[in-house]
Amino acid sequence: MPDFSAARRRFAVAAACLGLTLALAPAAEARSTSQATAAPAPAPAAAPAPAAAGAAGAGRVCLFLAPRAVGNLGHVGWAVMNGDGRWYSGATETDDVKSVNGNWVHGPDNVSVMLHHFKTKRVDGPYKRYRCTGTPTGAPLNAVNTFKRLMKTEYRLHDNNCLTRSVATFKAYSGALNGLDNGNWTPPNLYFDRHLSTWHWETAQDL
């Protein structure tokens, strides 16, 4: 009898960023068993601020996770820090339409406002956790422009979704993040728990 397990797995991954109700049994979130021991990560507000507003300096990015969204496969959004310690943030929330109807982007905001966006954007399968990492430099406007360009493109299940757009935004922000896996065919929960641990992102924080 043909083995359809691989095809079913690809479909499940592809659906991860869709607003679909999947007939999947609840599954425990993937947990990393190889993360290096580290001190608890600070909230985004504790990121080291550049010496002067707008000056080139240390950058910071965060990936926000809605772990129970889409049949427990997960959903993600992104945030990047500006030169003065404020944040740009955004996400692709649906595949139905392009531009602002299916996506959102805000900023620059102070950290409280940025976190509020993620706390209130989703009612069904809300954002619950985030992980951050620092970068030597950051180009926030380059990141925002990259995401806005992707907002106008056709949503594709395997390579142009909530996760892949977030990763592309991070790479546009800093070349130090170019080594991140692009997220193709990867459930957001798996990427958040395992892939980010491979790249030594900070411990997940509750939103």
Side-chain angles (χ1 to χ4, degrees):
M1 185 174 182
D3 181 2
F4 294 103
S5 60
R8 292 173 62 189
R9 184 167 61 253
R10 287 194 298 270
F11 174 79
V13 172
C17 294
L18 289 175
L20 301 177
T21 302
L22 303 179
L24 300 176
E29 297 174 32
R31 302 292 184 187
S32 171
T33 59
S34 62
Q35 184 173 354
T37 301
R60 193 161 174 82
V61 303
C62 298
L63 187 69
F64 286 76
L65 177 71
R68 301 303 182 192
V70 196
N72 293 324
L73 291 171
H75 168 79
V76 292
W78 58 270
V80 299
M81 193 175 72
N82 199 355
D84 59 3
R86 292 183 296 168
W87 292 78
Y88 291 94
S89 57
T92 292
E93 300 290 356
T94 176
D95 69 318
D96 291 339
V97 288
K98 299 178 185 178
S99 195
V100 295
N101 293 320
N103 307 264
W104 60 270
V105 59
H106 297 304
D109 301 306
N110 65 47
V111 67
S112 297
V113 172
M114 182 271 285
L115 292 175
H116 180 75
H117 294 322
F118 286 103
K119 290 177 180 178
T120 58
K121 283 295 183 181
R122 295 179 62 85
V123 176
D124 183 16
Y127 294 100
K128 290 292 187 180
R129 297 187 293 148
Y130 61 91
R131 297 184 74 170
C132 304
T133 193
T135 59
T137 60
L141 292 182
N142 193 37
V144 170
N145 289 336
T146 294
F147 183 73
K148 287 182 175 180
R149 175 179 57 79
L150 291 171
M151 283 170 52
K152 299 175 183 178
T153 62
E154 292 291 343
Y155 185 101
R156 292 190 300 272
L157 298 179
H158 62 287
D159 66 355
N160 193 12
N161 53 49
C162 65
L163 175 58
T164 62
R165 291 179 182 183
S166 295
V167 174
T169 300
F170 292 151
K171 292 182 178 183
Y173 179 77
S174 174
L177 301 174
N178 283 341
L180 289 173
D181 185 87
N182 58 24
N184 290 353
W185 293 104
T186 306
N189 279 343
L190 179 64
Y191 196 98
F192 184 91
D193 286 323
R194 295 188 180 178
H195 288 247
L196 295 188
S197 294
T198 298
W199 287 95
H200 307 295
W201 282 44
E202 297 161 8
T203 304
Q205 300 290 311
D206 291 333
L207 184 59

